[in-house]
Amino acid sequence: MSMNERDDVEKRKMTTYAFHQVDVFAAAPLKGNPLAVVAGADGLDDAQMAAFANWMNLSETTFLLKPTVPGADYRVRIFTPEEELSFAGHPTLGSCHVWLAMGGVPQGRDVVQECGAGLVTVRRDGDGLAFAAPPLRRAGPVDASDLEAVTRILGLSKDRVVAANWVDNGPGWLALMLRDRAELLALRPDTQALGDWRIGLVAPWDAVRDGDAAQFEVRAFTGGGAVFEDPVTGSLNAGLAKWLIGAGLAPHAYIASQGAVLGRKGRVRVARDEAGIWIGGETATRISGQVVL
């Protein structure tokens, strides 16, 4: 078989899928965290999903599939450009937004998403959606050697750290609380030294100086194959909420701002009720069409 014939065979194997790109946790157009979503993706294999996510080069790309366990409304697989994740926050809200927009109807009052971390409940939250914060896989104090390592990467003296805690609900987040929003926004970490660390930072807003649009500022730094600052991070905000509310460092309901250094205007709504902690925000579709894979 000639090379052209092989190319023709490969082309005939390709399938067209519905494609959406959405803006999650957005307070204004193009100010949140983008997510690519491929719907009806059951025909794609692992390699195809990973290759498309790598090509898209967004923080995450998701694939909507038929559920495999009772009680789930749909299944989602979540890929970064380098790896598959068992759970992530903004992909959960963005995927649910697309599933509903394409006519998905939940079996119950809320939507139940199946992902690598299990079942995640998503509910309508005013003009947006909110997911139930998953349990922490690792919590508790940060030991001295780890604190020394991350403060050195951040270029931060340890006396500027109000509190530190593991808030890992899957990605591996370690979190530091700083005294001041301005100090947090001014940090310029040594990204080449991040290694495999995933570091979350949070600091309170000052109502007089910063206004009342939010109560906390958040930043997220991830190492590994792609070193970057994430615009708006659902999983980190979920872990932070469990820590801060549980420790009495935050009220039972607040708004977190994220992405300011990157020119974004992310807003994450956090609320605790009798059912747990909910992480919500607005999602808007920016691109709709088809992708051939």
Side-chain angles (χ1 to χ4, degrees):
M1 183 183 292
S2 70
M3 183 178 296
N4 287 338
E5 289 173 329
R6 286 197 296 271
D7 288 344
D8 288 341
V9 169
E10 290 302 315
K11 288 178 182 177
R12 287 196 294 272
K13 291 179 180 178
M14 291 183 179
T15 303
T16 299
Y17 299 89
F19 172 81
H20 302 265
Q21 191 159 315
V22 297
D23 199 12
V24 186
F25 295 124
L30 310 182
K31 293 297 185 180
N33 200 352
L35 174 75
V37 183
V38 179
D42 299 86
L44 295 174
D45 61 27
D46 293 8
Q48 288 172 304
M49 293 182 188
F52 183 65
N54 180 268
W55 182 75
M56 286 301 297
N57 201 33
L58 296 175
S59 57
E60 282 96 8
T61 296
T62 65
F63 301 86
L64 295 179
L65 311 160
K66 296 175 183 177
T68 63
V69 297
D73 293 305
Y74 65 88
R75 180 164 71 104
V76 66
R77 294 184 66 180
I78 305 167
F79 286 79
T80 74
E82 288 80 29
E83 62 180 337
E84 183 173 7
L85 301 179
S86 61
F87 169 78
H90 102 275
T92 291
L93 295 190
S95 298
C96 184
H97 170 86
V98 170
W99 185 78
L100 290 169
M102 294 186 68
V105 178
Q107 300 171 56
R109 183 186 64 179
D110 298 324
V111 178
V112 179
Q113 171 185 281
E114 177 188 353
C115 61
L119 299 181
V120 178
T121 300
V122 185
R123 69 182 185 186
R124 292 175 176 85
D125 178 35
D127 52 1
L129 297 167
F131 66 86
L136 296 179
R137 296 182 176 183
R138 184 177 184 182
V142 176
D143 66 36
S145 61
D146 286 338
L147 184 59
E148 173 68 29
V150 297
T151 52
R152 184 171 58 251
I153 290 168
L154 295 168
L156 185 69
S157 61
K158 286 185 285 186
D159 65 304
R160 306 306 298 170
V161 177
V162 175
N165 219 66
W166 286 97
V167 294
D168 179 15
N169 49 21
W173 293 111
L174 180 155
L176 307 180
M177 187 176 196
L178 306 187
R179 301 177 187 278
D180 180 81
R181 177 182 183 242
E183 182 177 50
L184 185 152
L185 293 176
L187 285 178
R188 296 296 182 267
D190 179 4
T191 55
Q192 297 306 309
L194 269 170
D196 293 327
W197 288 105
R198 290 180 180 263
I199 304 171
L201 302 172
V202 61
W205 276 37
D206 181 280
V208 175
R209 183 178 60 234
D210 302 317
D212 60 2
Q215 286 71 57
F216 291 94
E217 191 73 35
V218 172
R219 295 181 72 182
F221 298 98
T222 65
V227 177
F228 68 102
E229 179 172 356
D230 197 49
V232 200
T233 318
S235 62
L236 172 58
N237 275 282
L240 286 172
K242 282 185 171 289
W243 170 39
L244 297 178
I245 294 174
L249 297 171
H252 285 198
Y254 64 86
I255 295 175
S257 165
Q258 192 177 348
V261 172
L262 302 175
R264 307 296 176 85
K265 193 177 180 181
R267 294 291 184 268
V268 180
R269 297 194 291 256
V270 177
R272 179 181 181 180
D273 63 16
E274 65 281 354
I277 292 176
W278 298 87
I279 308 300
E282 297 182 38
T283 299
T285 301
R286 300 299 174 201
I287 301 172
S288 292
Q290 297 176 324
V291 60
V292 180
L293 297 171

